Amino acid sequence: MSDYPLLNVFWTTFVFFLWILWFFLLFRIITDIFRSDDMNGWAKAAWIVFVIILPFLGVLVYVIARGKSMTQRDVERSRQSEAAFRAYVRDAAQTETSGPSGPADQLAQLATLHAQGVLNDEEFQRAKDKLLV
């Protein structure tokens, strides 16, 4: 048997979980401080010093004082990221539908047409030779 009771295992796991949660919150707040556009450099430096010197109190005060704006910045950043992704997908789809862009794409399209029976062997060979020259 072990000398470490089951209740101690649960307690250790709980404390470890809280420790990981604390570091996650601390890094999240430090990241938010650096990403915040509404603070100048001195305000950012003051918050960083406060969070590092008195971490528990600093994080608690930061969440109370700037928690709502922290959420608003996250929502705005998510909207911008989604808009950028949608623009990228739209551009990629337009490029895709505008036709084959390179020789490899054109050869693949020719092979598809040949496999579908649209082009016979002679037409396929002529078009392929014309592409490769």
Side-chain angles (χ1 to χ4, degrees):
M1 284 284 174
S2 175
D3 289 337
Y4 202 65
L6 186 60
L7 186 59
N8 285 351
V9 171
F10 289 136
W11 179 251
T12 302
T13 304
F14 180 70
V15 169
F16 183 72
F17 172 75
L18 288 178
W19 185 69
I20 296 295
L21 184 66
W22 169 252
F23 276 110
F24 176 77
L25 183 61
L26 182 66
F27 291 136
R28 176 77 177 83
I29 286 175
I30 289 173
T31 303
D32 185 66
I33 290 170
F34 282 113
R35 288 183 178 173
S36 181
D37 292 333
D38 60 337
M39 285 193 294
N40 62 17
W42 288 106
K44 289 179 183 184
W47 274 113
I48 292 292
V49 167
F50 188 40
V51 166
I52 290 174
I53 300 296
L54 298 169
F56 293 111
L57 183 62
V59 167
L60 183 64
V61 170
Y62 188 85
V63 169
I64 291 170
R66 297 182 51 86
K68 187 174 182 180
S69 63
M70 193 170 153
T71 303
Q72 290 169 348
R73 282 188 295 278
D74 279 346
V75 168
E76 183 60 33
R77 192 168 288 116
S78 295
R79 284 184 185 147
Q80 290 172 354
S81 177
E82 184 176 347
F85 175 73
R86 288 180 184 271
Y88 171 76
V89 169
R90 196 176 315 110
D91 291 345
Q94 287 175 354
T95 303
E96 180 85 19
T97 59
S98 65
S101 59
D105 292 335
Q106 292 173 351
L107 278 175
Q109 186 179 22
L110 282 175
T112 303
L113 291 173
H114 183 254
Q116 291 174 347
V118 175
L119 298 176
N120 62 26
D121 292 337
E122 183 182 328
E123 293 170 332
F124 173 70
Q125 192 59 39
R126 269 189 291 154
K128 189 171 88 171
D129 291 341
K130 187 176 180 183
L131 258 176
L132 296 175
V133 172

